[in-house]
Amino acid sequence: MNKKLLVSIILLLLTSTFFVVSLFTSSNGVNFGDLQRVIDGDERVLLIFEQIRLPRALVAFFAGASLALSGALMQAVLKNPLASPFTLGISQASAFGASFAIIVLQSYSSVFIFSGSFITTICAFGASLICTFVILYLGKSTQMRAESLILAGVAIGALFSAMTMFLQYFATEVDVSATLFWTFGDLSKADIYTSVIIACVFVPSLLFFYQRFWKFDALLLGNESAINLGVSVVRLRVGAMIVASLLSAITVSFLGIIGFIGLIAPHIIRLILGSGHKMLLPLSAILGGGLLLLADIISRVIIIPLVVPVGILTAFLGAPLFLYLLTRKKN
Amino acid sequence: MKFIVIIALLVSWLNSSPIKDMMNRDVTIKDNSKILAIGPGALRLLSYMNLQNNIVGIENLELSMDLKSPYRAKLDETHIKTLPIIGEGGAGKLPNLETIISLNPDIIFGSFLSLEQINMIQNKTKIPVVALSYGSSYGGETNKAKLQSIKESLSLIGSIMDKKDRAKELIDYMNDLENELANLTKSDLKFYIGGIGFKGARGINSSESHYPSFELLGLANSIKSPKIGHIEISVEELIHINPDIIFLDLLGKNIINDELKSKNTLYKSLNAFQNNKVFWLYPYNFYNTNIENVYINSFIIASKINPDIDIIHKQKEIYNMFLGSNNSDKLEKTNITTFE
């Protein structure tokens, strides 16, 4: 119990630290001197905090947390440690949906009553649901092994990437340059509303599944045992996967493909505290938020004075870890 | 006292009355001394307008000083290397908004950005963003002709930056050149342009429908497409068209030479190659379209039909007008008219 408390406190402290550091990081490095300028009421610096850094830090936390929760849910109900929005192709499917909305439906032109980002999100969610149901079908009907399911995810991800490229091939140049962002994953577009919307999906999802953490634990004992304990396995699996793909679709439609956070965060928690979902679900989310904050800080200072899209960075950090997990599993 | 306040308000309101940019957005401009250029081609148009020294920040890729974009001859290298970098630069990549806010420019000129990106940059930085245009398929309105868009953009910059005279001088000169070109030559041959750069170098099959140099001369482009702009055709189509004269863009030289080696018999079967009617032209696109090269290329093309035209003189005159007489010497004087 003490260890769990300790880990939780350390995680919270680390994430809060990253959050604060993120607020004081510019493309020229970390500079706490900005605090004095905020107190002095420097208009420019205030604008930078209000329009750029605060939205960026908030969205980094909530997007990272959403992706990590999404990954933790997928890993739990698919009983597959390699499952995540990125490895199952769900992120790529969301990106296709978003590209479809922008290029084919021209969602950002003024024809639509709803705002463009709403249409884009709906399409991203729709496409990710298609991918989710294919994964669920493959996992259940064909009794696929864990590794095979990931291979299926690779295939589905490649298919959706190809479909995105197909759309881009016929799009106007400006649409192409606009959709280019998804393949990078970029936090600089984020505003306060983006983080509020992501938070509005993330917080209820976390609370809802946190109250039902024992069902995921029961699932670990096997489907039979879970059913004996009164868990409706099918409903839990479908429900969790739908919420997981919604979490992923929302972040992708606003920020682009940010890989590996959803995979790594639950793994690190599991390594430290084991598989109990009471701690795994909330702590994965906090760690995911912290990791994306950290990645975003690095992305701003790694090539001064340029800002590297954060998706490139998470892939750099995540891919080696994914390979490590794969080989470790074999041994 | 009240009266004075009302007058002052009225004056400031009149001064800051909104203008329409090239994306039909209303933009309110308060001041016009410090400016930024974002996206492919924005800095080119500003430097044609002699505003290159008003910029307070620069995109990283402009620092290459690569003269495949001739306007860079106009940039003062020692000066721009001291400017803060506002982003990598390039279609689709966002600038560093924080740097932009801290530089606090009066106006941002943007080119080849989507409407969504332009609005986002303006909302976040609270700095007016003025969209410029290079026409259809280059970030402008679909099927809007290139040179018309350029002239409108130049005159927009002129009225915002109090440089109407320079805008008029440039536009009048462009119109004069166009009138001269329209009556320069006649030909019924089939013309083809290949190797057009588009987001990087490309090969022979990369072409342009409504290629401005052909249109200015009234020559038949063998690529006919209802859509104005860049187009990629198949080798078979090129063989089928079998153009009489082929012009190739120097930007694609390395790729084109490889293609000619690997598909030698195929290309050498074309009439243009058999009759030695293949010629290089100056890069049409490099960080958007090189407008001075559009006119120079037109005269080069005309000279292949009518050899009396004095290319060297015309080229110097065009560079002088767009880039200034001190800078035109910087541009390499390679003899590009022969093809090996």
Side-chain angles (χ1 to χ4, degrees), chain B residues 134-277:
Chain B
Y134 276 67
S136 183
S137 131
Y138 291 82
E141 205 177 308
T142 307
N143 272 352
K144 175 129 188 181
K146 170 154 309 198
L147 294 173
Q148 188 52 38
S149 304
I150 295 291
K151 287 173 196 165
E152 287 172 22
S153 297
L154 290 173
S155 117
L156 178 69
I157 299 172
S159 55
I160 293 174
M161 300 299 294
D162 303 325
K163 286 240 179 198
K164 285 185 181 156
D165 291 349
R166 173 62 180 164
K168 187 174 183 307
E169 182 185 28
L170 275 173
I171 294 166
D172 286 349
Y173 181 70
M174 288 165 80
N175 289 336
D176 288 347
L177 285 178
E178 286 161 30
N179 289 334
E180 188 183 344
L181 287 165
N183 304 312
L184 202 57
T185 182
K186 292 264 176 300
S187 172
D188 297 327
L189 300 173
K190 279 188 285 182
F191 290 80
Y192 175 78
I193 174 72
I196 291 285
F198 200 76
K199 296 178 184 167
R202 293 188 183 220
I204 296 178
N205 301 327
S206 169
S207 189
E208 178 96 2
S209 78
H210 303 258
Y211 185 59
S213 296
F214 291 158
E215 301 214 322
L216 292 176
L217 290 161
L219 301 175
N221 189 341
S222 47
I223 298 302
K224 289 182 181 63
S225 163
K227 185 188 159 232
I228 295 180
H230 178 257
I231 190 167
E232 190 83 26
I233 66 159
S234 67
V235 187
E236 284 181 34
E237 203 178 336
L238 184 61
I239 303 294
H240 179 70
I241 293 167
N242 198 5
D244 302 307
I245 301 190
I246 292 179
F247 290 95
L248 295 171
D249 194 291
L250 267 177
L251 192 65
K253 192 169 184 177
N254 291 340
I255 298 178
I256 290 168
N257 283 338
D258 281 353
E259 284 175 334
L260 291 179
K261 253 180 237 155
S262 65
K263 294 199 178 95
N264 192 296
T265 37
L266 203 58
Y267 287 120
K268 289 289 154 73
S269 73
L270 293 171
N271 279 346
F273 279 94
Q274 289 193 341
N275 302 328
N276 287 325
K277 292 284 184 194

Side-chain angles (χ1 to χ4, degrees), chain A residues 27 44 51 53 174 181 190, chain B residues 92 96 98 104 114 117 124:
Chain A
S27 47
R44 295 280 118 202
Q51 288 293 329
R53 295 199 196 159
V174 174
F181 278 113
Chain B
N96 188 336
E98 258 192 66
N104 195 17
S114 71
Q117 287 172 331
K124 286 198 154 235

Side-chain angles (χ1 to χ4, degrees), chain A residues 25-27 44 47-48 51-53 55 108 173-174 176-178 180-181 186 188-191 300 305-307, chain B residues 60 85 87-88 91-92 94 96-99 101 104 112-114 116-117 123-126 137 139 198-199:
Chain A
T25 305
S26 74
S27 47
R44 295 280 118 202
L47 187 64
I48 288 176
Q51 288 293 329
I52 315 268
R53 295 199 196 159
Y108 286 106
E173 287 62 33
V174 174
V176 171
S177 53
L180 189 70
F181 278 113
D186 195 352
S188 53
K189 312 201 283 183
D191 52 28
R300 276 181 283 173
L306 302 177
V307 179
Chain B
N60 197 30
I85 289 169
E88 176 56 30
L94 277 183
N96 188 336
L97 300 172
E98 258 192 66
T99 314
I101 293 179
N104 195 17
F112 219 126
L113 297 166
S114 71
E116 185 211 358
Q117 287 172 331
N123 290 342
K124 286 198 154 235
T125 59
K126 313 285 181 215
S137 131
F198 200 76
K199 296 178 184 167

